[in-house]
Coordinates of all heavy atoms in Angstrom, one line a residue:
M1 N 6.8 -17.9 -0.6 CA 5.6 -18.6 -1.0 C 4.7 -18.9 0.2 O 5.2 -19.3 1.2 CB 6.0 -20.0 -1.7 CG 6.9 -19.8 -2.9 SD 5.9 -20.0 -4.4 CE 7.1 -19.9 -5.6
D2 N 3.4 -18.8 -0.1 CA 2.5 -19.2 1.0 C 2.2 -20.7 0.8 O 2.7 -21.4 0.0 CB 1.2 -18.3 1.0 CG 0.4 -18.5 -0.3 OD1 0.6 -19.5 -1.0 OD2 -0.5 -17.7 -0.5
N3 N 1.2 -21.2 1.7 CA 0.9 -22.6 1.7 C 0.2 -23.1 0.4 O 0.2 -24.2 0.1 CB 0.0 -22.9 2.8 CG 0.7 -22.8 4.2 OD1 1.9 -22.8 4.2 ND2 -0.1 -22.5 5.2
N4 N -0.3 -22.1 -0.4 CA -0.9 -22.4 -1.7 C 0.0 -22.3 -2.9 O -0.4 -22.4 -4.0 CB -2.2 -21.5 -1.9 CG -3.2 -21.7 -0.8 OD1 -3.4 -22.8 -0.4 ND2 -3.8 -20.6 -0.3
G5 N 1.3 -22.0 -2.6 CA 2.3 -21.9 -3.6 C 2.3 -20.5 -4.3 O 2.9 -20.3 -5.3
N6 N 1.5 -19.6 -3.7 CA 1.5 -18.2 -4.3 C 2.8 -17.5 -3.9 O 3.2 -17.6 -2.7 CB 0.3 -17.5 -3.9 CG -1.0 -18.1 -4.4 OD1 -1.1 -18.5 -5.5 ND2 -2.0 -18.3 -3.5
K7 N 3.3 -16.7 -4.8 CA 4.5 -15.9 -4.4 C 4.1 -14.7 -3.5 O 3.0 -14.1 -3.7 CB 5.1 -15.3 -5.7 CG 6.4 -14.6 -5.5 CD 7.0 -14.1 -6.8 CE 8.3 -13.4 -6.6 NZ 8.7 -12.7 -7.7
C8 N 4.9 -14.5 -2.5 CA 4.6 -13.4 -1.5 C 4.6 -12.1 -2.2 O 5.5 -11.7 -3.0 CB 5.6 -13.4 -0.4 SG 5.4 -12.0 0.7
R9 N 3.5 -11.3 -2.0 CA 3.4 -10.0 -2.6 C 4.1 -8.9 -1.8 O 4.0 -7.7 -2.1 CB 1.9 -9.6 -2.8 CG 1.3 -10.5 -3.8 CD -0.2 -10.1 -4.1 NE -1.0 -10.2 -2.8 CZ -1.8 -9.3 -2.4 NH1 -2.0 -8.2 -3.1 NH2 -2.5 -9.5 -1.3
I10 N 4.7 -9.2 -0.6 CA 5.3 -8.3 0.3 C 4.3 -7.2 0.6 O 4.3 -6.2 0.0 CB 6.6 -7.7 -0.2 CG1 7.5 -8.8 -0.7 CG2 7.3 -6.9 0.8 CD1 8.8 -8.3 -1.4
C11 N 3.5 -7.5 1.6 CA 2.4 -6.6 2.0 C 2.8 -5.3 2.5 O 2.3 -4.2 2.0 CB 1.4 -7.3 2.9 SG 0.6 -8.7 2.2
L12 N 3.6 -5.2 3.5 CA 3.9 -4.0 4.2 C 5.4 -3.8 4.4 O 6.1 -4.7 4.5 CB 3.2 -3.9 5.6 CG 1.7 -4.0 5.6 CD1 1.1 -4.1 7.0 CD2 1.0 -2.9 4.8
I13 N 5.7 -2.5 4.4 CA 7.2 -2.1 4.6 C 7.7 -2.7 5.9 O 8.8 -3.2 6.0 CB 7.3 -0.6 4.5 CG1 7.0 -0.1 3.1 CG2 8.8 -0.2 4.8 CD1 6.8 1.4 3.1
R14 N 6.8 -2.6 6.9 CA 7.3 -3.1 8.2 C 7.6 -4.6 8.2 O 8.2 -5.1 9.2 CB 6.3 -2.7 9.3 CG 4.9 -3.3 9.2 CD 4.0 -2.7 10.2 NE 2.7 -3.3 10.1 CZ 1.6 -2.7 10.7 NH1 1.7 -1.7 11.4 NH2 0.4 -3.2 10.5
D15 N 7.2 -5.3 7.2 CA 7.5 -6.7 7.1 C 8.7 -7.0 6.3 O 9.2 -8.1 6.1 CB 6.3 -7.5 6.4 CG 5.0 -7.4 7.2 OD1 5.1 -7.2 8.5 OD2 3.9 -7.4 6.6
M16 N 9.3 -5.9 5.8 CA 10.5 -6.1 4.9 C 11.8 -5.9 5.7 O 11.8 -5.0 6.6 CB 10.5 -5.1 3.8 CG 9.4 -5.1 2.8 SD 9.5 -3.8 1.6 CE 7.9 -3.8 0.9
A17 N 12.8 -6.6 5.3 CA 14.1 -6.3 6.0 C 14.8 -5.2 5.2 O 14.7 -5.1 4.0 CB 14.9 -7.6 6.0
G18 N 15.6 -4.4 5.9 CA 16.5 -3.4 5.3 C 15.7 -2.2 4.8 O 16.2 -1.5 3.9
K19 N 14.6 -1.9 5.3 CA 13.8 -0.8 4.9 C 13.6 0.2 6.0 O 12.7 1.0 6.0 CB 12.4 -1.2 4.4 CG 12.5 -2.1 3.1 CD 13.0 -1.3 1.9 CE 13.0 -2.2 0.7 NZ 13.6 -1.5 -0.5
E20 N 14.7 0.3 6.8 CA 14.6 1.2 8.0 C 14.4 2.7 7.6 O 13.8 3.5 8.3 CB 15.8 1.1 8.9 CG 15.8 -0.3 9.6 CD 16.2 -1.5 8.8 OE1 16.7 -1.3 7.7 OE2 15.8 -2.6 9.2
D21 N 15.0 3.1 6.4 CA 14.9 4.4 6.0 C 13.4 4.8 5.7 O 12.9 5.9 6.0 CB 15.8 4.7 4.8 CG 15.6 3.7 3.6 OD1 15.1 2.6 3.9 OD2 15.9 4.1 2.5
I22 N 12.7 3.9 5.1 CA 11.3 4.1 4.7 C 10.5 4.1 6.0 O 9.5 4.9 6.2 CB 10.7 3.1 3.7 CG1 11.6 3.2 2.4 CG2 9.3 3.4 3.4 CD1 11.2 2.2 1.4
L23 N 10.8 3.2 6.9 CA 10.1 3.1 8.2 C 10.3 4.4 9.0 O 9.3 4.9 9.6 CB 10.6 1.9 9.0 CG 10.1 0.6 8.6 CD1 10.8 -0.5 9.4 CD2 8.6 0.4 8.7
S24 N 11.5 4.9 8.9 CA 11.7 6.2 9.6 C 10.9 7.3 8.9 O 10.4 8.2 9.6 CB 13.2 6.5 9.5 OG 13.5 7.8 9.8
Y25 N 10.7 7.3 7.6 CA 9.9 8.3 6.9 C 8.5 8.2 7.4 O 7.8 9.2 7.6 CB 10.1 8.1 5.4 CG 9.3 9.1 4.6 CD1 9.7 10.4 4.6 CD2 8.2 8.7 3.9 CE1 8.9 11.4 3.9 CE2 7.5 9.6 3.2 CZ 7.8 11.0 3.2 OH 7.1 11.9 2.5
I26 N 8.0 6.9 7.5 CA 6.6 6.7 8.0 C 6.4 7.3 9.4 O 5.5 8.1 9.6 CB 6.2 5.2 8.0 CG1 6.2 4.7 6.6 CG2 4.9 5.0 8.7 CD1 6.1 3.1 6.6
N27 N 7.4 7.1 10.2 CA 7.3 7.6 11.6 C 7.3 9.1 11.6 O 6.6 9.8 12.4 CB 8.4 7.0 12.5 CG 8.1 5.6 12.8 OD1 7.0 5.1 12.8 ND2 9.2 4.8 12.9
K28 N 8.2 9.7 10.8 CA 8.3 11.2 10.7 C 7.0 11.8 10.2 O 6.5 12.8 10.7 CB 9.4 11.6 9.8 CG 10.8 11.5 10.4 CD 11.9 12.0 9.5 CE 13.2 11.7 10.1 NZ 14.3 11.6 9.2
T29 N 6.4 11.1 9.2 CA 5.1 11.6 8.6 C 4.0 11.5 9.7 O 3.3 12.4 9.9 CB 4.7 10.7 7.4 OG1 5.7 10.7 6.5 CG2 3.4 11.2 6.8
R30 N 4.0 10.4 10.5 CA 3.1 10.3 11.6 C 3.2 11.4 12.6 O 2.3 12.0 13.0 CB 3.2 8.9 12.3 CG 2.3 8.7 13.5 CD 2.6 7.4 14.2 NE 2.1 6.3 13.4 CZ 2.9 5.3 13.0 NH1 4.2 5.4 13.2 NH2 2.4 4.3 12.3
D31 N 4.5 11.7 12.9 CA 4.8 12.8 13.9 C 4.4 14.2 13.4 O 4.1 15.1 14.2 CB 6.3 12.8 14.3 CG 6.6 11.5 15.1 OD1 5.7 10.8 15.6 OD2 7.8 11.2 15.2
M32 N 4.5 14.4 12.1 CA 4.2 15.7 11.5 C 2.7 16.0 11.5 O 2.2 17.1 11.5 CB 4.7 15.8 10.1 CG 6.2 16.0 10.0 SD 6.9 15.8 8.3 CE 5.6 16.3 7.3
L33 N 1.8 14.9 11.5 CA 0.4 15.1 11.5 C -0.1 15.5 12.9 O 0.4 14.9 13.9 CB -0.3 13.8 11.0 CG -0.1 13.4 9.5 CD1 -0.6 12.0 9.3 CD2 -0.8 14.4 8.6
T34 N -1.1 16.4 12.9 CA -1.7 16.7 14.2 C -2.6 15.6 14.6 O -3.0 14.8 13.7 CB -2.5 18.0 14.1 OG1 -3.6 17.8 13.2 CG2 -1.7 19.2 13.6
D35 N -3.0 15.6 15.9 CA -4.0 14.5 16.3 C -5.2 14.6 15.5 O -5.8 13.5 15.2 CB -4.3 14.7 17.8 CG -3.1 14.4 18.7 OD1 -2.2 13.7 18.2 OD2 -3.2 14.7 19.9
E36 N -5.7 15.8 15.1 CA -6.9 15.9 14.3 C -6.7 15.3 12.9 O -7.7 14.8 12.3 CB -7.2 17.4 14.1 CG -8.1 17.9 15.2 CD -8.5 19.4 14.9 OE1 -8.2 19.9 13.8 OE2 -8.9 20.0 15.9
D37 N -5.5 15.5 12.3 CA -5.3 15.0 11.0 C -4.9 13.5 10.8 O -5.0 13.0 9.8 CB -4.2 15.9 10.3 CG -4.6 17.3 10.1 OD1 -5.8 17.6 10.1 OD2 -3.7 18.2 10.1
R38 N -4.5 13.0 12.0 CA -4.0 11.6 12.0 C -5.1 10.6 12.4 O -5.9 10.9 13.4 CB -2.8 11.5 12.9 CG -2.1 10.2 12.9 CD -0.9 10.2 13.9 NE -1.2 10.8 15.1 CZ -0.6 11.8 15.7 NH1 0.5 12.4 15.2 NH2 -1.0 12.3 16.9
V39 N -5.2 9.5 11.8 CA -6.2 8.5 12.3 C -5.7 7.8 13.6 O -4.5 7.8 13.8 CB -6.5 7.4 11.2 CG1 -7.1 8.0 10.0 CG2 -5.2 6.6 10.9
S40 N -6.6 7.2 14.3 CA -6.2 6.5 15.5 C -5.4 5.2 15.1 O -5.5 4.8 14.0 CB -7.4 6.1 16.3 OG -8.2 5.1 15.6
N41 N -4.7 4.7 16.0 CA -4.0 3.4 15.8 C -5.0 2.3 15.3 O -4.6 1.5 14.4 CB -3.2 2.9 17.0 CG -2.0 3.8 17.2 OD1 -1.5 4.5 16.3 ND2 -1.5 3.7 18.4
L42 N -6.2 2.3 15.9 CA -7.2 1.3 15.6 C -7.6 1.4 14.1 O -7.6 0.5 13.3 CB -8.4 1.4 16.5 CG -9.4 0.3 16.3 CD1 -9.0 -1.1 16.6 CD2 -10.7 0.7 17.1
V43 N -7.9 2.6 13.7 CA -8.3 2.9 12.3 C -7.2 2.6 11.4 O -7.4 2.0 10.3 CB -8.8 4.3 12.2 CG1 -9.0 4.7 10.7 CG2 -10.1 4.5 13.0
Y44 N -6.0 3.0 11.8 CA -4.8 2.7 10.9 C -4.6 1.3 10.7 O -4.5 0.8 9.5 CB -3.6 3.3 11.6 CG -2.3 3.2 10.8 CD1 -2.1 3.9 9.7 CD2 -1.2 2.5 11.3 CE1 -0.9 3.8 8.9 CE2 0.0 2.4 10.6 CZ 0.1 3.1 9.4 OH 1.3 3.0 8.7
E45 N -4.7 0.5 11.7 CA -4.5 -1.0 11.5 C -5.7 -1.6 10.7 O -5.5 -2.5 9.9 CB -4.4 -1.7 12.9 CG -3.1 -1.3 13.7 CD -1.8 -1.6 12.9 OE1 -1.8 -2.7 12.2 OE2 -0.9 -0.8 12.9
E46 N -6.9 -1.1 10.9 CA -8.0 -1.6 10.1 C -7.8 -1.3 8.6 O -8.1 -2.1 7.8 CB -9.3 -0.9 10.6 CG -9.8 -1.5 11.9 CD -11.0 -0.7 12.5 OE1 -11.4 0.3 11.9 OE2 -11.6 -1.2 13.4
R47 N -7.3 -0.1 8.4 CA -7.0 0.3 7.0 C -6.0 -0.6 6.4 O -6.1 -1.1 5.2 CB -6.5 1.8 6.9 CG -7.7 2.8 7.1 CD -7.1 4.2 7.0 NE -8.2 5.2 6.9 CZ -8.0 6.5 6.7 NH1 -6.8 7.0 6.6 NH2 -9.0 7.3 6.7
L48 N -4.9 -0.8 7.1 CA -3.8 -1.7 6.6 C -4.3 -3.1 6.4 O -3.9 -3.8 5.4 CB -2.6 -1.6 7.5 CG -1.9 -0.3 7.6 CD1 -0.7 -0.4 8.5 CD2 -1.5 0.2 6.2
K49 N -5.2 -3.6 7.3 CA -5.7 -4.9 7.1 C -6.5 -5.1 5.8 O -6.4 -6.1 5.1 CB -6.7 -5.2 8.3 CG -7.0 -6.7 8.5 CD -7.8 -6.9 9.8 CE -8.3 -8.3 9.8 NZ -9.2 -8.5 11.0
K50 N -7.3 -4.0 5.5 CA -8.0 -4.1 4.2 C -7.0 -4.0 3.0 O -7.2 -4.7 2.0 CB -9.0 -2.9 4.1 CG -10.1 -3.1 5.1 CD -11.1 -2.0 5.1 CE -12.2 -2.2 6.1 NZ -13.0 -1.1 6.4
C51 N -6.0 -3.2 3.1 CA -5.0 -3.2 2.1 C -4.2 -4.5 1.9 O -4.0 -4.9 0.7 CB -3.9 -2.1 2.3 SG -4.6 -0.4 2.2
T52 N -3.9 -5.1 3.0 CA -3.1 -6.4 2.8 C -4.0 -7.5 2.3 O -3.5 -8.6 1.9 CB -2.5 -6.8 4.2 OG1 -3.5 -6.9 5.2 CG2 -1.4 -5.8 4.6
S53 N -5.3 -7.3 2.3 CA -6.1 -8.4 1.6 C -6.6 -7.9 0.3 O -7.5 -8.5 -0.3 CB -7.3 -8.7 2.6 OG -8.1 -7.6 2.8
C54 N -6.1 -6.8 -0.2 CA -6.5 -6.3 -1.5 C -5.6 -6.7 -2.6 O -4.4 -6.7 -2.5 CB -6.5 -4.7 -1.4 SG -6.9 -3.9 -2.9
D55 N -6.2 -7.1 -3.8 CA -5.4 -7.5 -4.9 C -4.5 -6.4 -5.5 O -3.6 -6.6 -6.4 CB -6.3 -8.1 -6.0 CG -6.9 -9.4 -5.6 OD1 -6.4 -10.0 -4.7 OD2 -7.9 -9.8 -6.2
N56 N -4.8 -5.1 -5.2 CA -4.1 -4.0 -5.8 C -2.8 -3.7 -5.0 O -2.1 -2.7 -5.4 CB -5.0 -2.8 -5.8 CG -6.1 -2.9 -6.8 OD1 -5.9 -3.3 -7.9 ND2 -7.4 -2.8 -6.3
L57 N -2.5 -4.4 -4.0 CA -1.3 -4.1 -3.2 C -0.2 -5.0 -3.7 O -0.3 -6.2 -3.8 CB -1.6 -4.4 -1.7 CG -0.4 -4.0 -0.8 CD1 -0.3 -2.5 -0.7 CD2 -0.6 -4.7 0.6
L58 N 1.0 -4.3 -3.9 CA 2.2 -5.0 -4.4 C 3.4 -4.3 -3.8 O 3.5 -3.1 -4.0 CB 2.2 -5.1 -5.9 CG 3.4 -5.8 -6.5 CD1 3.3 -7.3 -6.2 CD2 3.5 -5.6 -8.0
S59 N 4.2 -5.1 -3.1 CA 5.4 -4.5 -2.5 C 5.1 -3.3 -1.7 O 5.8 -2.2 -1.8 CB 6.5 -4.1 -3.6 OG 6.9 -5.3 -4.3
A60 N 4.1 -3.4 -0.9 CA 3.7 -2.3 0.1 C 3.1 -1.1 -0.6 O 2.9 -0.1 0.0 CB 4.8 -1.9 1.0
T61 N 2.9 -1.2 -1.9 CA 2.4 0.0 -2.7 C 1.1 -0.3 -3.3 O 0.8 -1.4 -3.8 CB 3.4 0.2 -3.9 OG1 4.7 0.4 -3.4 CG2 3.1 1.5 -4.7
C62 N 0.2 0.7 -3.2 CA -1.1 0.5 -3.9 C -0.9 0.8 -5.4 O -0.5 1.8 -5.8 CB -2.1 1.6 -3.3 SG -3.7 1.6 -4.2
M63 N -1.3 -0.2 -6.2 CA -1.1 -0.1 -7.6 C -2.2 0.8 -8.2 O -2.1 1.2 -9.4 CB -1.3 -1.5 -8.3 CG -0.2 -2.4 -7.9 SD 1.4 -1.9 -8.6 CE 2.3 -1.3 -7.2
K64 N -3.1 1.3 -7.5 CA -4.1 2.2 -8.0 C -3.7 3.7 -7.8 O -4.1 4.5 -8.6 CB -5.5 2.0 -7.3 CG -6.2 0.8 -7.7 CD -6.6 0.8 -9.1 CE -7.2 -0.5 -9.6 NZ -7.5 -0.5 -11.0
C65 N -2.9 4.0 -6.8 CA -2.5 5.4 -6.6 C -1.0 5.5 -6.5 O -0.5 6.7 -6.6 CB -3.2 5.9 -5.3 SG -2.6 5.1 -3.8
G66 N -0.3 4.5 -6.4 CA 1.2 4.5 -6.3 C 1.7 4.9 -5.0 O 2.9 5.1 -4.8
C67 N 0.9 5.0 -4.0 CA 1.3 5.3 -2.6 C 1.8 4.1 -1.8 O 1.2 3.0 -2.0 CB 0.2 6.0 -1.8 SG -0.4 7.5 -2.5
Y68 N 2.7 4.3 -0.9 CA 3.0 3.3 0.1 C 1.7 3.4 1.1 O 1.4 4.5 1.6 CB 4.2 3.7 1.0 CG 5.5 3.4 0.2 CD1 6.5 4.3 0.1 CD2 5.8 2.1 -0.2 CE1 7.7 4.1 -0.6 CE2 7.0 1.8 -0.9 CZ 7.9 2.8 -1.0 OH 9.1 2.5 -1.7
V69 N 1.0 2.3 1.2 CA -0.2 2.3 2.0 C 0.0 2.7 3.4 O -0.9 3.3 4.1 CB -1.0 1.0 1.8 CG1 -1.5 0.8 0.4 CG2 -0.2 -0.2 2.3
E70 N 1.2 2.4 4.0 CA 1.4 2.7 5.4 C 1.5 4.2 5.6 O 1.4 4.7 6.7 CB 2.7 2.0 5.9 CG 2.4 0.5 6.1 CD 3.7 -0.3 6.0 OE1 4.1 -0.5 4.8 OE2 4.2 -0.7 7.0
I71 N 1.8 4.9 4.5 CA 1.9 6.4 4.6 C 0.5 7.0 4.3 O 0.0 7.8 5.1 CB 3.0 7.0 3.7 CG1 4.3 6.5 4.2 CG2 2.9 8.5 3.7 CD1 5.5 6.9 3.3
R72 N -0.1 6.5 3.2 CA -1.4 7.0 2.8 C -2.4 6.8 3.9 O -3.3 7.7 4.2 CB -1.9 6.3 1.6 CG -3.1 6.9 1.0 CD -3.5 6.2 -0.3 NE -4.7 6.8 -0.9 CZ -4.7 7.8 -1.8 NH1 -3.6 8.3 -2.2 NH2 -5.8 8.3 -2.2
A73 N -2.4 5.7 4.6 CA -3.4 5.3 5.6 C -3.3 6.1 6.9 O -4.2 6.1 7.7 CB -3.3 3.8 6.0
L74 N -2.2 6.9 7.1 CA -2.0 7.7 8.3 C -3.0 8.9 8.4 O -3.5 9.2 9.5 CB -0.6 8.2 8.4 CG 0.5 7.3 8.8 CD1 1.8 7.9 8.5 CD2 0.3 6.9 10.2
A75 N -3.3 9.5 7.3 CA -4.0 10.8 7.3 C -5.5 10.6 7.2 O -6.0 9.8 6.4 CB -3.5 11.7 6.2
Q76 N -6.2 11.3 8.1 CA -7.6 11.3 8.2 C -8.3 11.5 6.8 O -9.3 10.9 6.5 CB -8.1 12.3 9.2 CG -9.5 12.3 9.6 CD -9.8 11.2 10.6 OE1 -10.3 10.2 10.3 NE2 -9.3 11.4 11.8
N77 N -7.8 12.5 6.1 CA -8.4 12.9 4.8 C -8.0 12.0 3.7 O -8.6 12.3 2.6 CB -8.0 14.4 4.5 CG -8.6 15.3 5.5 OD1 -9.6 15.0 6.1 ND2 -8.0 16.5 5.6
N78 N -7.1 11.1 3.8 CA -6.8 10.2 2.7 C -7.8 9.0 2.7 O -8.3 8.6 3.7 CB -5.4 9.7 2.9 CG -4.3 10.7 2.5 OD1 -4.6 11.7 1.9 ND2 -3.1 10.4 2.9
H79 N -8.1 8.6 1.5 CA -9.0 7.4 1.3 C -8.4 6.5 0.3 O -7.6 6.8 -0.5 CB -10.4 7.9 0.9 CG -11.0 8.8 1.9 ND1 -11.6 8.4 3.0 CD2 -11.1 10.2 1.9 CE1 -12.1 9.4 3.7 NE2 -11.8 10.5 3.1
C80 N -8.9 5.3 0.3 CA -8.6 4.3 -0.7 C -9.1 4.9 -2.0 O -10.2 5.5 -2.1 CB -9.4 3.0 -0.4 SG -9.5 1.8 -1.7
P81 N -8.3 4.8 -3.1 CA -8.6 5.4 -4.4 C -9.7 4.7 -5.2 O -10.1 5.2 -6.2 CB -7.3 5.4 -5.1 CG -6.5 4.2 -4.6 CD -7.0 4.1 -3.1
L82 N -10.1 3.5 -4.8 CA -11.1 2.8 -5.6 C -12.4 3.5 -5.5 O -12.7 4.2 -4.5 CB -11.3 1.4 -5.0 CG -10.1 0.4 -5.1 CD1 -10.5 -0.9 -4.4 CD2 -9.7 0.2 -6.6
K83 N -13.2 3.4 -6.6 CA -14.5 4.0 -6.6 C -15.4 3.5 -5.4 O -16.0 4.3 -4.8 CB -15.2 3.7 -7.9 CG -15.6 4.8 -8.8 CD -16.3 4.4 -10.0 CE -16.5 5.6 -10.9 NZ -17.1 5.3 -12.2
K84 N -15.4 2.2 -5.2 CA -16.0 1.7 -4.1 C -15.0 1.6 -3.0 O -14.3 0.5 -2.8 CB -16.6 0.3 -4.4 CG -17.9 0.3 -5.1 CD -18.5 -1.0 -5.2 CE -19.9 -1.0 -5.6 NZ -20.6 -2.3 -5.6
R85 N -14.7 2.6 -2.3 CA -13.6 2.7 -1.3 C -13.7 1.5 -0.3 O -14.7 1.2 0.2 CB -13.7 4.0 -0.5 CG -13.4 5.2 -1.3 CD -13.6 6.4 -0.4 NE -13.3 7.6 -1.2 CZ -13.6 8.8 -0.8 NH1 -14.3 9.0 0.3 NH2 -13.3 9.9 -1.5
K86 N -12.5 1.0 -0.1 CA -12.4 0.0 1.0 C -12.2 0.6 2.3 O -12.4 0.1 3.4 CB -11.2 -1.0 0.7 CG -11.5 -1.8 -0.6 CD -10.6 -3.0 -0.7 CE -10.9 -3.8 -1.9 NZ -10.2 -5.0 -2.0
W87 N -11.7 1.9 2.3 CA -11.6 2.7 3.6 C -11.5 4.1 3.2 O -11.4 4.5 2.1 CB -10.4 2.3 4.4 CG -9.0 2.2 3.8 CD1 -8.4 1.1 3.3 CD2 -8.1 3.3 3.5 NE1 -7.2 1.4 2.8 CE2 -6.9 2.7 2.9 CE3 -8.1 4.7 3.7 CZ2 -5.8 3.5 2.5 CZ3 -7.0 5.4 3.3 CH2 -5.9 4.8 2.7
Ligands
SF4_1 S1 -5.7 1.8 -0.8 FE1 -7.5 0.7 -1.5 S2 -6.9 -0.1 -3.6 FE2 -5.0 0.5 -2.6 S3 -4.3 -1.4 -1.7 FE3 -5.4 -0.3 -0.1 S4 -7.5 -1.2 -0.2 FE4 -6.4 -1.7 -2.2

């Protein structure tokens, strides 16, 4: 619960305990992408910041596309699925 009594929506996998297998998958995905296809760390963190403040995020998953945002946000060609994209 946060200070306002809201239940935690568990924003990112990296904030969860016992999810090392998924974290390993994220790292493998990052390694598989070429420098051209992968966003910079700065852009990646900016994307995740927008996701963690989005109402469509639940348990590290975007409820609009069903993706783990930490994986979707890695690739240059991936975008937020909303009509008015957040990234
Ligand atoms: S990808 Fe877009 S819609 Fe999905 S959680 Fe992130 S900001 Fe929200």
Side-chain angles (χ1 to χ4, degrees):
M1 297 263 183
D2 66 14
N3 292 338
N4 298 320
N6 298 316
K7 190 175 177 192
C8 175
R9 294 182 298 135
I10 309 176
C11 294
L12 299 175
I13 296 165
R14 63 188 178 193
D15 299 331
M16 299 178 192
K19 296 293 182 187
E20 288 73 19
D21 51 338
I22 302 174
L23 285 173
S24 165
Y25 182 68
I26 293 170
N27 288 330
K28 282 181 188 158
T29 303
R30 178 184 288 116
D31 292 344
M32 283 171 30
L33 292 168
T34 64
D35 287 348
E36 269 181 14
D37 294 336
R38 184 179 49 232
V39 297
S40 68
N41 286 342
L42 182 66
V43 169
Y44 184 65
E45 292 304 322
E46 284 173 353
R47 286 180 170 188
L48 294 184
K49 192 173 174 186
K50 289 176 183 170
C51 288
T52 55
S53 62
C54 176
D55 290 342
N56 294 306
L57 186 70
L58 183 65
S59 297
T61 306
C62 173
M63 293 291 105
K64 289 295 177 184
C65 65
C67 295
Y68 285 124
V69 293
E70 284 153 287
I71 294 174
R72 186 178 182 93
L74 282 169
Q76 191 77 255
N77 290 340
N78 285 346
H79 297 283
C80 167
L82 294 178
K83 239 181 188 176
K84 282 188 166 185
R85 291 178 179 164
K86 294 191 176 189
W87 49 264

